Amino acid sequence: MRAARGLQGRIRVPGDKSVSHRAVMLASLAEGVSHISGFLEGEDTRATARAFAQMGVRMEAPEPSVRVVHGVGLHGLSAPAAAIDCGNAGTGMRLLAGLLAGQGFDSELVGDESLTRRPMNRVVLPLRQMGAVIDTAEEGRPPLRIHGGRALKGIRYELPVASAQVKSALLLAGLYAQGETETIEPHPTRDYTERMLTAFGVDIDFAPGRARLSGGQRLRATDVQVPADFSSAAFFIVAASLVPGSDLLIEQVGINPRRTGLLEALRLMGADITLENRSEHGGEPVADLRVRHARLRGAVIPEHVVPDMIDEFPALFIAAACAEGVTTVSGAAELRVKESDRIRSMAEGLLALGAHIEERSDGAIIEGGTLRGGTVHARGDHRIAMSFAIAGQRSQGEVRIEDCANVATSFPGFVELARGCGFELVETAG
């Protein structure tokens, strides 16, 4: 890769992964036929769709990014004949654990090598408090063996660490529990599950940082239009901010306030980002994002925005490495247990490109400057790979990214879309 000359044009990134996962899950549990448009055709979301097909849900794909789901009702799933393979989808595995805890049949959740290393106790332990019986490998890692036919009871659970996935798993289990299930978070997280449960007719009381529902409710089929994924847009937002001459419009991006902490962080650093053509799709706010090049300055990233940008930190690290001055990130220890240890992976990669970065247990101190070329390892992590693709647009020499096949996990067509708006990217064999 060599430095880009300026990113231009109008682009649309794929559908939101988080919304796509949840749309398939709730449509499967609903009574009637739901139509999902804008579905992300990525490996993670397809794994979730296959999981429900294994459990007897008929699902049609009349065209790309469209799913027609014939719901079987809350208690209509059937026992899968084999283990459910979640691939690399941590969201899929954690949410399925909650949903499957209330079924009348046994099930097993497995994943790829990366997912198998990720801890699941944050979900498993509170589910056990609800009455679920779940066996795990050492230190709470997959596979998860879930014993069916257990009576669940609603609980009031205060999450020790804010997590939309844990919250969502408990709420899905709560649909099958006796009484009320309530979640309290130390910091508000994404409320996709709460919004979508409402769209499917579930009576749920929620506000930032808390949610409560009663078990036994029926879900009604509905149509879902999935907005463009903010996390996918993030790579283009950062790239257009960094590359001189850029003026890029990213269309119809989901701007759920629990998702867009990166906008606050980048604006604090001096980014030029405006929101145009605001609207709402299925309870989710969307807008076109216009991003123009700006000279970024280092900043102390406020800890209150961390839960709202946890997936975007790899891209932010690149912005910080190219900014003027020092950027400090703290309160982001969750990055250690993503698809890779993202703090370590980003620190190693940036050091290889000549950046000055001090790794901390829950973040990093990054001194902005000039990046040189070099070889970095994505560690099989799609967000690490795409973040260093941004670095290649601002480096003095070529940046070679190894172990990056997993980009298709979250962003099919990334290379083609990036080239189309001005990225200099070359795919190599081996």
Side-chain angles (χ1 to χ4, degrees), residues 262-271 297-302:
L262 179 68
L263 295 184
E264 182 174 343
L266 287 176
R267 283 170 172 160
L268 188 64
M269 297 172 73
R297 304 176 300 274
V300 176
I301 305 304

Side-chain angles (χ1 to χ4, degrees), residues 88 91 96 108 112 128 130 160 206 239 241 270 275 285-286 313 349 411:
N88 189 246
T91 299
L96 278 168
E108 181 177 7
D112 66 8
R128 286 173 178 163
M130 297 178 71
F206 67 97
S241 295
L275 275 60
V286 300
F313 269 105
F411 200 149

Side-chain angles (χ1 to χ4, degrees), residues 160-378:
V161 178
S163 169
Q165 293 180 3
V166 174
K167 171 184 64 176
S168 298
L170 300 183
L171 293 173
L172 291 175
L175 293 172
Y176 294 91
Q178 183 177 8
E180 285 190 343
T181 297
E182 183 176 12
T183 58
I184 308 293
E185 298 177 288
H187 306 288
T189 60
R190 303 168 186 177
D191 57 1
Y192 292 130
T193 300
E194 298 94 309
R195 288 173 181 258
M196 192 164 292
L197 282 167
T198 299
F200 278 89
V202 173
D203 183 12
I204 177 171
D205 177 32
F206 67 97
R210 66 174 184 84
R212 184 176 70 244
L213 57 73
S214 297
Q217 300 188 58
R218 298 166 63 183
L219 283 72
R220 299 188 301 270
T222 190
D223 293 344
V224 178
Q225 184 172 347
V226 180
D229 192 289
F230 183 86
S231 289
S232 295
F235 304 105
F236 293 92
I237 295 170
V238 170
S241 295
L242 292 177
V243 176
S246 294
D247 185 350
L248 187 66
L249 188 74
I250 312 169
E251 297 179 329
Q252 294 296 283
V253 179
I255 54 167
N256 185 302
R258 297 278 68 85
R259 187 70 176 269
T260 53
L262 179 68
L263 295 184
E264 182 174 343
L266 287 176
R267 283 170 172 160
L268 188 64
M269 297 172 73
D272 182 357
I273 305 167
T274 56
L275 275 60
E276 305 175 0
N277 192 26
R278 291 174 180 256
S279 59
E280 189 171 287
H281 293 163
E284 290 292 336
V286 300
D288 297 338
L289 305 184
R290 181 173 291 280
V291 188
R292 299 177 178 89
H293 168 253
R295 293 180 64 180
L296 300 187
R297 304 176 300 274
V300 176
I301 305 304
E303 286 197 27
H304 75 266
V305 307
V306 168
D308 299 337
M309 59 175 296
I310 201 68
D311 284 336
E312 289 73 56
F313 269 105
L316 180 77
F317 274 42
I318 302 299
C322 297
E324 299 175 2
V326 176
T327 297
T328 302
V329 173
S330 58
E334 187 177 346
L335 292 171
R336 297 283 188 188
V337 292
K338 289 292 187 178
E339 282 84 338
S340 69
D341 178 340
R342 286 181 174 162
I343 296 175
R344 175 65 51 80
S345 297
M346 290 303 301
E348 290 176 346
L350 285 171
L351 287 169
L353 300 183
H356 298 280
I357 177 169
E358 180 184 341
E359 184 180 337
R360 298 289 182 87
S361 61
D362 65 343
I365 298 174
I366 307 164
E367 183 179 346
T370 300
L371 298 179
R372 63 171 184 251
T375 298
V376 299
H377 298 269

